Amino acid sequence: MQRKGLRRAAIVLAVYVAVVAVAWLLPGSPLRGENGSLINSPLLTGLVLVLFLAFAITGITYGITTGTITKPGDVPSMMAEAVKDMAGYIVLILAISQFIAVFTWSNLGTLLAVRSAEFLQSVHLTGFAGILAFVVLVSVLNLFITSGSALWSLVAPVFVPAFMLLGYDPGFVQAAYRIGDSATQIITPLSPYLFVLLTVLRRYEPDLRLGTLIARTSIFVIPFWVVWVALLAVFYFGDIPFGPGVHVHLPR
């Protein structure tokens, strides 16, 4: 029954993706943007809704097929149950949203961004060296703030405008952030995933300790960091677009 549910869910998802793609590509479609633009379009700006519907219809299809959903009231109940696991994250985002709101209201973010840009210019870190310094900073902060979205919410209001003043595209700044965020995730003792991994490994090594696990995973940090930074350098020095409409530097 579960395999049957997976097959039906996959078919429904494929049909949904095909319908959305065709509707997006059709000339004159309401999912297109101004002058028929595919990039600056309602589809991409409303991608959260599109993804929500994709997960919703596939999940409901699977639930109905396997018998876990027997009446319409089961769907909101399951959604509420799933949100319970995200309660801590929601509270954290609430606090961060208030912080960002006060940050914006006080214009402190703008002041820090300008000062940061001026500092980088004064020490001649306006090129790739400045990007590397940002990656190192994120790598260090990531040891203490393990939530990627929370860390981004804290550093973005300052560093995105700062690097924009230096001529860098926000998409490029986020790519640099992702490198620093991912490289040290596997060694921070504050990461819940590290304890999940420890629990799994203790089935095979009952005497395994957290320090031993961190020592084993730490050998991957520098190779990850170097390879990702090297790839970032290829895009930077080759001035290669990161995606549609996203370049290393802002257009002049």
Side-chain angles (χ1 to χ4, degrees), residues 5 24 36 62 74 80 84 92 122 124 131 137 141-142 167 171 184 188 191 201 206 216 223 227-228:
W24 182 44
Y62 177 83
D74 291 337
K84 289 181 180 179
L92 178 63
S122 66
H124 305 290
I131 299 297
L137 175 63
L141 291 176
N142 191 52
T184 52
T188 171
S191 174
L201 290 178
R216 291 179 181 179
V227 171
W228 279 120

Side-chain angles (χ1 to χ4, degrees), residues 59-60 63-79:
I60 292 173
I64 293 176
T65 304
T66 58
T68 54
I69 296 178
T70 57
K71 57 183 184 297
D74 291 337
V75 176
S77 298
M78 290 181 173
M79 294 175 66

Side-chain angles (χ1 to χ4, degrees), residues 228-245:
W228 279 120
V229 167
L231 183 61
L232 186 71
V234 171
F235 280 86
Y236 178 86
F237 293 105
D239 199 21
I240 302 173
F242 277 79

